[in-house]
Amino acid sequence: MISGPMTRRRMIGISAAAAGMALLPFESAAAIPDAVTWQGEAMGAQASLVIHHPDRAKAKKLVEATVAEVRRLERIFSLYRDDSDLTLLNRQRFLVSPPKELVEILRQSSDAWALTGGAFDPTVQPLWDTYRRHFSTSGASKAGPSAGIVRECLARVGLDRIACSSARIELPAAGSALTLNGIAQGYVTDKVVDLLRAGGIEHSMVDMGESRAIGPAWDDRPWRVGVSDPLDTARILKVLEVEDRAVATSSPFGFRFDAEGRFSHIIDPRSGATPRRHASVTVVARQAALADALSTAFNLMDVGEIVAVLEGMAGVEAHILSHDRNWTSV
């Protein structure tokens, strides 16, 4: 239930489909009287946006600015647009005078790569393409691509081999390619939060595939984010309370190349394997991009390795769901 003097508050709710998470109080935002709303697509998912602001004209401008910002960033990061900067970089292996946001996200990726010992690595795309091609072929071996093919792909993987500066980005070898799907949704969420705060928004849950809270919820209590069972997304297994924090969940059950589910989209860039150590990993951090990257990498690491990464990282926590549905929180 929403309480308090609504006309004095500046609020927003943005929602995009996020695998593994459900924003429990969000439905109340849609019931705010005289709210400005928008529905469409953002970062490849259905999205909605609700703003309540004392000045309706300003609310409309915030909606327009938010949608425009998401569209602008999609033109940089999307793998599914032929005209994006990322697609051009992958096609020609270099990019002159790259957008500053592309340089920034690669630097954030490099930080996550170093923190996780290379478990997070956007240069994993050649391996993803290899698994996709293999399992799209009629009569493909259920054992997956051969060890020789995987080794050939690994020769094109390694974030430390990329040359990146404000003047030029260059990929290391023919067949190298980047995917930013493990961090871009979080990065876009962070940019939208910056825009909304500059516009005076004090209460918000922004979700562009990953969630980040601005302040408390409408009723001045923490936001409640439910973590779903990856095999039954309608079933909430854990509820997290967050305020001025981001939440990201990754699971090997999000996408599987084969019918048996032995090969998932979470591929280890160090070995080329697709291990299923955990059923899902949820990370809470101040920035959505960091939570996004760590939740992906932690699916490739055992609990002890995750604990070692988090030591000394203030404000970051991980909630690890085992395959027998037990939680470990660190």
Side-chain angles (χ1 to χ4, degrees):
M1 176 146 117
I2 302 172
S3 61
M6 301 297 295
T7 56
R8 293 202 300 271
R9 292 189 175 187
R10 300 176 181 184
M11 306 180 182
I12 186 169
I14 301 177
S15 177
M21 285 189 294
L23 178 58
L24 301 184
F26 179 71
E27 64 272 13
S28 62
I32 300 173
D34 302 321
V36 176
T37 63
W38 171 86
Q39 290 185 325
E41 188 173 291
M43 301 299 294
Q46 291 299 307
S48 61
L49 186 155
V50 181
I51 289 182
H52 182 279
H53 193 289
D55 187 326
R56 190 171 179 83
K58 289 184 178 179
K60 288 182 177 179
K61 287 182 179 179
L62 270 177
V63 169
E64 293 169 359
T66 300
V67 174
E69 176 69 351
V70 172
R71 294 286 178 261
R72 184 182 72 84
L73 293 171
E74 283 178 328
R75 288 192 293 272
I76 298 172
F77 301 136
S78 176
L79 268 181
Y80 308 106
R81 292 182 58 138
D82 290 336
D83 61 343
S84 76
D85 293 281
L86 180 61
T87 298
L88 179 59
L89 172 60
N90 285 343
R91 186 163 55 236
Q92 65 184 22
R93 283 184 47 213
F94 69 91
L95 201 61
V96 177
S97 299
K100 64 180 182 180
E101 292 85 0
L102 187 54
V103 175
E104 182 178 40
I105 201 172
L106 286 176
R107 288 175 177 163
Q108 291 183 6
S109 296
S110 182
D111 291 341
W113 177 87
L115 277 170
T116 61
F120 179 78
D121 192 331
T123 66
V124 75
Q125 184 64 21
L127 286 162
W128 196 97
D129 288 336
T130 291
Y131 279 102
R132 176 186 56 79
R133 284 194 301 268
H134 177 85
F135 286 107
S136 297
T137 303
S138 178
S141 170
K142 292 184 178 181
S146 70
I149 290 175
V150 170
R151 280 196 300 271
E152 289 177 7
C153 286
L154 288 171
R156 301 191 290 271
V157 173
L159 189 59
D160 55 331
R161 300 169 61 200
I162 287 181
C164 178
S165 71
S166 58
R168 183 182 178 92
I169 301 172
E170 187 167 352
L171 303 184
S176 297
L178 291 170
T179 173
L180 297 172
N181 289 349
I183 192 171
Q185 289 177 323
Y187 181 92
V188 171
T189 297
D190 288 336
K191 290 300 182 184
V192 170
V193 165
D194 291 344
L195 185 154
L196 296 174
R197 278 184 165 151
I201 295 297
E202 300 166 355
H203 303 265
S204 170
M205 177 59 81
V206 178
D207 183 346
M208 289 295 154
E210 310 301 348
S211 300
R212 183 174 166 189
I214 299 175
W218 328 115
D219 54 7
D220 289 325
R221 291 182 296 179
W223 293 93
R224 300 175 69 243
V225 178
V227 183
S228 301
D229 185 330
L231 294 179
D232 180 8
T233 56
R235 182 184 177 207
I236 302 299
L237 297 179
K238 191 177 187 68
V239 176
L240 301 174
E241 293 190 342
V242 295
E243 185 174 330
D244 287 320
R245 288 291 189 276
V247 184
T249 293
S250 294
S251 167
F253 297 103
F255 176 84
R256 288 164 282 183
F257 291 101
D258 60 324
E260 291 79 12
R262 293 176 57 202
F263 300 91
S264 80
H265 68 295
I266 297 182
I267 305 170
D268 194 327
R270 302 163 297 185
S271 67
T274 62
R276 292 197 302 167
R277 283 189 170 85
H278 315 294
S280 75
V281 178
T282 298
V283 173
V284 180
R286 291 187 181 276
Q287 303 293 321
L290 177 62
D292 196 0
L294 291 182
S295 68
T296 300
F298 285 172
N299 271 278
L300 300 168
M301 304 167 70
D302 62 34
V303 173
E305 291 173 318
I306 294 169
V307 170
V309 170
L310 294 182
E311 285 180 355
M313 294 187 69
V316 183
E317 60 193 57
H319 303 274
I320 305 153
L321 179 66
S322 68
H323 289 286
D324 56 7
R325 299 304 186 265
N326 289 317
W327 288 99
T328 300
S329 296
V330 294

